[in-house]
Amino acid sequence: MNTLTLSNTDARQLFLDRHALAETPAGAAQGDALLDLIRRLGFVQLDSINTVARAHDLILFARRPRYRPEALKSLYETDHALFEHWTHDAAVIPMEFYSWWQLRRQRDAEKLRKQWKNGRRGGFEAQFQTILDQIREQGPVSSSDVGAGEKRGSGGWWDWHPSKTALEYLWRSGALCVVGRDGFRKRYDLTERVVDAALRDAPLSQDRQKATIDWCCTGALDRLGFATPTELAAFWDHITLAEAKEWCAAQLAKGCLQPVQITCADGGARHSFARPDLAADPALERRASKRLRVLSPFDPALRDRKRAERLFGFTYRIEVFVPEAKRTYGYYVFPILQGDKIIARVDMKAFRNEDVLRVKALWPEPGLRWGKGRQSAFEGELTRLTRLAGVSKVGFEDGWLRA
């Protein structure tokens, strides 16, 4: 089979199209329309940091500026159209995908029993029935509602008491569902009360496991446009690299995949796989909207930092856990997308007590000129962002534009 070569421009365009970042950001942003967007992305990562807006809110806002956090909360907590579990991190996922997480839940159960059996978490399995009975009698609980009398630590994941560990285990393995959050603290209920019986776990047969691997790889490729086995395995983070490689080999033999060479931003090439009709994909005939938009550091288009570096020539490392004196940029720096290029990164924060979104520093990418047109587009995006950030003004610190 012939190998298709995709230019870097076409590769970026296809990738942005799959991540709903090629079209002009517009449209309805609640109810079924919002659910359709999340379905298109596959999932939306959750994160608690709120310097401007939480990651999940900014991810959705970047694509639908009419989005407001209440719309996601309604889909999740009232309509139960979403469930929460792990991909590479905690995420909200369309409820219709719930049954495809069975393999992940089973593998998590085996892995976490080994990881959590010692230390302060030891004895968590003895709390299972107590917690299940408490929820059955009292309704949804958070970690503060369980484990009366157990010694409390810092609350960090490394210092959970046995009942908190049991809650997380029962959620990750499927007996419980997270049904919402108070602040950012999870509330858990019995899965049988939340998830339709048709979606709940049945015995995981070999055929079902094979179907899950196929679903994971197919869904990942649909949302990436082109991918290596490593990228397919990492997308949902359910399956192993060996399983993704085996799937690619089988699909290639059946003519359902074709090899493709992706031209990287530095001129190098990356061997990947794509659908046989990739050359005729309509996304290649369109060019990305010139609208400037601020992205979350956890945006799906940037989650794979190495892929973003190959495609866009954009090197990004989050510095939240880096001591301030050693940071290259800042605590929580937002990439800026315009057209099919990542043009800059900005360190900014909403000071809600002062009613202002303040820009501390902006670094244009090397070789990019930050002229009046870009500045005007940037200020327009900041004005839109104030509504999401809960402030009404924008301010710039002295010396904010950096070389």
Side-chain angles (χ1 to χ4, degrees):
M1 183 180 291
N2 293 331
T3 299
L4 174 70
T5 297
L6 208 60
S7 72
N8 182 246
T9 298
D10 283 348
R12 291 197 310 268
Q13 174 61 38
L14 187 69
F15 183 62
L16 291 172
D17 173 80
R18 295 301 194 269
H19 286 77
L21 287 171
E23 64 259 36
T24 300
Q30 58 185 354
D32 288 344
L34 183 61
L35 182 58
D36 283 344
L37 174 61
I38 298 170
R39 189 181 290 120
R40 179 176 173 184
L41 297 175
F43 58 88
V44 174
Q45 182 175 335
L46 299 171
D47 192 73
S48 61
I49 296 174
N50 193 14
T51 54
V52 173
R54 298 197 194 278
H56 41 283
D57 294 324
L58 188 53
I59 288 167
L60 297 169
F61 180 88
R63 294 155 173 83
R64 301 286 187 273
R66 289 162 60 182
Y67 167 80
R68 296 295 179 268
E70 295 78 14
L72 183 64
K73 186 178 180 69
S74 178
L75 271 184
Y76 182 17
E77 299 186 13
T78 304
D79 300 340
H80 298 303
L82 304 168
F83 73 98
E84 183 175 337
H85 211 271
W86 279 68
T87 52
H88 56 286
D89 212 316
V92 285
I93 305 147
M95 183 62 80
E96 66 212 63
F97 297 172
Y98 184 86
S99 63
W100 296 114
W101 256 249
Q102 183 180 3
L103 179 61
R104 174 63 184 261
R105 288 188 288 271
Q106 179 172 300
R107 288 178 171 176
D108 277 0
E110 296 166 358
K111 178 181 71 174
L112 297 178
R113 276 185 187 271
K114 296 176 183 178
Q115 287 182 356
W116 292 352
K117 66 181 180 180
N118 297 318
R120 287 200 66 237
R121 301 184 186 199
F124 73 94
E125 293 165 289
Q127 304 304 316
F128 288 169
Q129 195 59 51
T130 299
I131 285 173
L132 291 170
D133 289 345
Q134 181 180 347
I135 295 173
R136 194 174 304 280
E137 293 170 9
Q138 300 176 13
V141 302
S142 66
S143 59
S144 62
D145 300 319
V146 299
E150 292 179 355
K151 184 179 178 182
R152 305 279 165 153
S154 64
W157 61 266
W158 60 90
D159 201 20
W160 291 347
H161 56 79
S163 292
K164 162 66 171 172
T165 304
L167 268 180
E168 286 284 305
Y169 181 90
L170 290 167
W171 165 50
R172 294 278 293 272
S173 59
L176 299 180
C177 271
V178 176
V179 291
R181 291 176 179 255
D182 297 323
F184 217 68
R185 177 178 289 169
K186 296 190 285 287
R187 287 184 285 108
Y188 307 80
D189 201 354
L190 300 175
T191 297
E192 64 200 58
R193 290 175 175 165
V194 181
V195 180
D196 188 271
L199 294 174
R200 295 203 297 267
D201 292 351
L204 189 63
S205 65
Q206 281 192 329
D207 286 346
R208 184 61 176 174
Q209 182 165 329
K210 184 177 180 181
T212 300
I213 294 167
D214 180 68
W215 183 89
C216 285
C217 290
T218 299
L221 188 60
D222 288 345
R223 292 168 175 85
L224 293 171
F226 50 86
T228 66
T230 298
E231 290 166 341
L232 293 177
F235 184 84
W236 308 102
D237 198 27
H238 280 23
I239 64 173
T240 66
L241 176 57
E243 288 166 342
K245 284 181 175 178
E246 184 178 348
W247 182 85
C248 287
Q251 294 294 305
L252 195 64
K254 291 191 292 186
C256 298
L257 287 183
Q258 68 169 335
V260 56
Q261 288 288 104
I262 303 299
T263 306
C264 301
D266 64 1
R270 176 80 167 176
H271 180 75
S272 299
F273 294 104
R275 301 287 184 208
D277 58 354
L278 181 67
D281 195 297
L284 299 177
E285 298 301 315
R286 299 188 290 268
R287 284 295 165 252
S289 165
K290 293 297 183 182
R291 173 79 160 264
L292 183 149
R293 50 188 135 188
V294 173
L295 300 182
S296 163
F298 299 111
D299 194 279
L302 300 171
R303 177 192 63 79
D304 186 336
R305 309 291 192 210
K306 292 181 180 179
R307 185 178 173 106
E309 191 166 348
R310 286 193 299 270
L311 284 179
F312 299 100
F314 180 72
T315 302
Y316 184 88
R317 302 292 182 270
I318 196 159
E319 297 181 291
V320 167
F321 302 110
V322 177
E324 185 172 3
K326 295 184 177 181
R327 291 175 189 150
T328 303
Y329 297 104
Y331 172 78
Y332 198 80
V333 173
F334 300 86
I336 300 176
L337 176 73
Q338 188 175 39
D340 65 355
K341 297 181 175 65
I342 299 175
I343 61 169
R345 65 195 82 200
V346 59
D347 183 4
M348 60 183 178
K349 183 177 180 180
F351 291 85
R352 296 175 181 92
N353 60 330
E354 301 174 32
D355 193 31
V356 63
L357 175 61
R358 185 171 297 134
V359 176
K360 180 179 180 180
L362 181 143
W363 297 265
E365 284 296 281
L368 185 135
R369 180 175 174 271
W370 194 265
K372 291 182 179 179
R374 282 206 169 96
Q375 178 63 18
S376 177
F378 179 51
E379 291 177 8
E381 178 68 354
L382 292 182
T383 299
R384 287 185 288 270
L385 263 176
T386 57
R387 295 190 288 273
L388 187 68
V391 298
S392 64
K393 298 177 294 188
V394 175
F396 292 82
E397 293 189 4
D398 291 342
W400 65 273
L401 185 58
R402 308 291 177 86

